[in-house]
Structures are given as structure tokens and as C-alpha cells.
Amino acid sequence: AVARAFGDKSLKKHLTSEPDVSIETTDDDTDLIILASDEAVDAIKGIKDARSAAKHLTQEAVKRNKKDDISII
């Protein structure tokens, strides 16, 4: 959907390439930062360890046969 928002003019009435932007302050109490879809955030909400969360997201992407744009750091 995101790629279409930039390039498929016929879908412009349904999609937007305008980003959601928010400014958050981080400090020593910040556990993690995730730039992802709501679905990805929901999938790891209860996982406190960053490495475990990244592994879970990777496994979920592979399980769903996703083949491109999988980057978890």
C-alpha cells in the first residue's frame, strides 16, 4: 500500500504518501524504539527483550512467506 501511495495515481483517493509524524523524547528509561507498522508493534508488545522481539518479527515474516523488505536490527 505504501508503494502504491507514491506511484499509483488511481489509488490516490484511498491512500496517501503523507507520513504520520510524531516527536518523542527518549532517555535512559526508554526500552526500545520501533519504526514499523501497527501490526508489527502489536506482534511484539509483550516482549521486553529487544533481541527476542527482533527474532519474533523475523520468524513471523518468514512464516508469512515475505521475501523482500525484511530488515530487523
Side-chain angles (χ1 to χ4, degrees):
V2 173
R4 282 191 227 123
F6 286 102
D8 194 335
K9 294 189 188 315
S10 68
L11 295 174
K12 287 291 185 186
K13 60 186 172 197
H14 302 292
L15 301 173
T16 179
S17 56
E18 214 35 58
D20 275 339
V21 177
S22 65
I23 297 171
E24 300 291 332
T25 303
T26 60
D27 57 26
D28 291 340
D29 293 328
T30 303
D31 291 326
L32 60 96
I33 298 171
I34 182 170
L35 303 173
S37 68
D38 292 343
E39 187 178 0
V41 173
D42 290 344
I44 63 161
K45 244 183 211 173
I47 303 173
K48 295 295 182 192
D49 176 63
R51 189 177 305 265
S52 296
K55 186 174 182 177
H56 179 76
L57 287 175
T58 302
Q59 290 169 338
E60 188 64 28
V62 171
K63 184 172 90 177
R64 294 179 182 203
N65 294 318
K66 303 298 181 187
K67 303 253 188 264
D68 65 341
D69 297 335
I70 299 171
S71 298
I72 301 170
I73 300 170

